[in-house]
């Protein structure tokens, strides 16, 4: 089992020598210059965060995601977990082409295996001995009959159970007929009253029934999986951050492209980002422990302390939503486009804390009065909860005009933040649970923009009682998904948002 140290990346930033403080600045600069570089085979490799691949793909059409995670899992006992304890779901999660190839291969192997058994029974085993002229199979001279002479000279016949199988090709056809249907074109349907063909045919029939049931169930579950249905839910290509009544809000929109909408649809948001913090390690030689607990180096000894940068990668943070309100379940009406809103307040993981450390080990300060104040394991409490007396959490002041765009963007880029959106609902036709996934990185966020209207009333002309009289009515609305991804500039601040009325 890996320890916590194995899950963290430590980079030495600073070496402090109490007896040689003149070189403090030089050591600091040199250590910071190498904090983000390393040598491999004599070549310097520098990280390029701007070219990092997002965790959730964007390979789908119309700037959408196929819901594929770029996460590699190292499982110690992978074979036992996937192929022994949960074989059924392992088969279901395999690619479609591989699933059909395995099913066809198993069917062919079953036919070939039972064909070999039938040929063995017909040619080398279980002879039915009958007196000369008896009524057994081959008694009338038909079929594949071998003649034998007894010691007294009388003639007996040995029948191959009347299966009429003389070579492997005939055995294959016989096996295939048994797998598909039981309608043999043989001279004796009872196989000369032999029990061995009956047992083999029964086993193949049982295997065929079991295989057909499994194959039909697997193919149906594979073709009706919810991932294909989730492609009909479209998310905006860009997310926006804009100011309303002095407060910043993160927004994106989504819509259902089918007329059959998801029932009980609700949305959840997560922010996946890196976490960094300093840790101080001491390496003292011949140190003395004073009574008050402080460490004091003895005379003539050197004391060295290192300041390390601890990085925990891809940590998950829950994001509260104000529209739809997550205290009411965050339910969505998928028939029309929905704008999902997350407020940037003290509970938002998109807001930098008061002091944070970037990837180079440099300390940054967030001067705004509104900063990330959530502490584990305290539940996240939004500012709007305190305003509406839902909770007693203190209300943080709104953002000040100034450099919040630059500070927040730099913080999200340094932590390689990615906002993961999950929409779940029930398909009203198949009654299966559907999960739609999408994500937004720091470079997918536009500041001071809003979404262009894509819903318009649909007018219809109707004729009155008088054939010469025409009048126009509103016959529902039209959702133009061709304008769904379009953005328009928004003011730096406004009193309300027409797309989300309950915010203002």
């Amino acid at each position: 089992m890996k320890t916590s140290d194995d899950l963290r990346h430590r980079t030495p930033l600073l070496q402090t020598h109490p007896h040689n403080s003149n070189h403090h600045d030089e050591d600091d600069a040199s250590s910071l210059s190498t904090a983000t570089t390393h040598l491999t085979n004599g070549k310097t490799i520098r990280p390029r965060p701007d070219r990092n691949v997002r965790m959730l793909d964007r390979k789908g059409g119309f700037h959408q995601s196929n819901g594929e995670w770029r996460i590699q899992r190292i499982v110690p006992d992978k074979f036992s977990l996937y192929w022994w304890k949960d074989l059924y779901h392992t088969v279901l999660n395999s690619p479609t082409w591989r699933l059909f190839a395995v099913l066809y291969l198993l069917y062919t192997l079953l036919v070939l295996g039972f064909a070999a058994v039938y040929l063995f029974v017909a040619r080398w085993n279980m002879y039915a001995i009958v007196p000369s002229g008896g009524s057994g199979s081959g008694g009338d001279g038909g079929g594949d009959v071998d003649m034998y002479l007894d010691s007294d000279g009388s003639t007996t016949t040995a029948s191959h159970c009347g299966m009429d199988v003389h070579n492997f090709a005939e055995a294959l056809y016989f096996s295939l007929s048994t797998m598909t249907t039981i309608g043999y074109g043989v001279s004796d349907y009872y196989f000369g009253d032999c029990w061995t063909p009956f047992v083999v045919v029964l086993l193949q029939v049982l295997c065929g029934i079991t295989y057909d049931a499994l194959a039909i169930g697997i193919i149906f579950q594979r073709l009706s999986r919810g991932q294909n249905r989730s492609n009909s839910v479209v998310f905006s290509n860009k997310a926006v951050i804009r100011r309303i009544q002095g407060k910043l809000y993160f927004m994106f929109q989504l819509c259902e492209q089918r007329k059959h909408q998801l029932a009980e649809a609700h949305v959840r948001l997560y922010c996946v980002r890196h976490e960094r913090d300093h840790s101080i390690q001491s390496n003292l030689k011949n140190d003395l422990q004073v009574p008050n607990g402080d460490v004091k180096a003895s005379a003539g000894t050197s004391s060295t302390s290192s300041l390390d940068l601890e990085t925990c990668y891809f940590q998950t943070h829950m994001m509260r939503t104000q529209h739809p309100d997550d205290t009411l379940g965050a339910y969505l009406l998928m028939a029309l486009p929905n704008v999902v809103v997350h407020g940037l307040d003290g509970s938002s993981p998109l807001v930098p804390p008061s002091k944070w450390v970037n990837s180079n080990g440099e300390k940054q300060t967030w001067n705004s009065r509104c900063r990330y104040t959530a502490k584990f394991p305290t539940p996240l409490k939004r500012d709007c909860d305190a305003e509406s007396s839902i909770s007693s959490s203190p209300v943080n002041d709104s953002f000040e005009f100034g450099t919040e765009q630059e500070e927040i963007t730099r913080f999200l880029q340094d932590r390689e933040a990615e906002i993961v959106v999950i929409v779940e609902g029930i398909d009203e036709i198949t009654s299966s649970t559907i999960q739609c996934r999408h994500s937004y990185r720091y470079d997918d966020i536009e500041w001071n923009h809003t979404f262009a209207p894509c819903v318009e009333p649909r007018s219809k002309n109707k004729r009155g009682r008088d054939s010469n009289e025409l009048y126009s009515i509103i016959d529902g609305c039209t959702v133009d998904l061709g304008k769904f991804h379009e953005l328009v500039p928004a003011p730096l601040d406004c009193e309300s948002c027409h797309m989300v009325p309950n915010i203002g």
Side-chain angles (χ1 to χ4, degrees), residues 80-296:
S80 175
L81 177 63
Y82 289 174
W83 296 100
W84 180 254
K85 297 180 181 179
D86 195 12
L87 176 62
Y88 179 72
H89 289 92
T90 302
V91 174
L92 287 180
N93 292 328
S94 61
T96 305
W97 66 269
R98 185 185 302 172
L99 178 62
F100 278 92
V102 171
L103 290 177
Y104 293 153
L105 178 61
L106 289 178
Y107 192 89
T108 304
L109 292 178
L110 279 175
V111 173
L112 291 174
F114 278 99
V117 175
Y118 289 131
L119 184 61
F120 175 78
V121 172
R123 297 188 60 179
W124 292 288
N125 196 13
M126 293 304 295
Y127 287 92
I129 308 298
V130 298
S132 179
S135 60
S137 175
D140 57 354
D144 184 18
V145 179
D146 294 334
M147 304 298 296
Y148 296 90
L149 294 178
D150 293 337
S151 58
D152 56 358
S154 62
T155 303
T156 60
T157 61
S159 172
H160 299 296
C161 289
M163 298 185 67
D164 289 345
V165 174
H166 308 94
N167 50 50
F168 190 70
E170 294 181 359
L172 281 177
Y173 281 105
F174 187 88
S175 178
L176 186 60
S177 300
T178 306
M179 286 289 291
T180 55
T181 181
I182 300 180
Y184 304 120
V186 296
S187 58
D188 186 5
Y189 288 100
Y190 304 104
F191 306 119
D193 298 332
C194 293
W195 284 98
T196 302
F198 170 79
V199 174
V200 178
V201 170
L202 178 61
L203 290 177
Q204 187 172 10
V205 170
L206 295 177
C207 291
I209 294 175
T210 305
Y211 182 86
D212 292 341
L214 291 176
I216 293 174
I218 291 175
I219 294 175
F220 173 78
Q221 291 292 339
R222 182 65 180 180
L223 297 181
S224 62
R225 57 180 178 171
Q227 184 176 354
N228 297 330
R229 174 65 176 87
S230 64
N231 294 331
S232 63
V233 178
V234 58
F235 297 83
S236 58
N237 183 32
K238 297 288 186 178
V240 300
I241 295 180
R242 57 175 303 192
R243 187 187 300 274
I244 302 175
Q245 293 185 355
K247 298 182 180 181
L248 292 176
Y249 294 94
F250 170 85
M251 302 181 183
F252 65 93
Q253 68 175 351
L254 56 92
C255 183
E256 172 65 80
Q257 300 183 86
R258 292 181 179 271
K259 64 179 181 180
H260 304 289
Q261 58 180 309
L262 296 178
E264 300 291 332
H266 54 277
V267 62
R268 300 196 309 270
L269 301 182
Y270 299 93
C271 177
V272 181
R273 72 183 191 188
H274 306 330
E275 297 295 338
R276 297 188 179 93
D277 195 6
H278 283 300
S279 64
I280 301 178
Q281 295 181 348
S282 298
N283 184 15
L284 305 178
K285 298 180 179 178
N286 300 326
D287 292 342
L288 297 178
Q289 187 75 21
V290 297
N292 60 1
D294 297 334
V295 178
K296 182 178 180 180

Side-chain angles (χ1 to χ4, degrees), residues 452-470:
C454 60
V455 182
E456 298 178 353
R458 182 178 61 183
S459 61
K460 182 179 181 181
N461 298 329
K462 296 194 69 175
R463 190 179 300 275
R465 294 182 179 179
D466 187 359
S467 59
N468 295 327
E469 181 184 0
L470 291 176

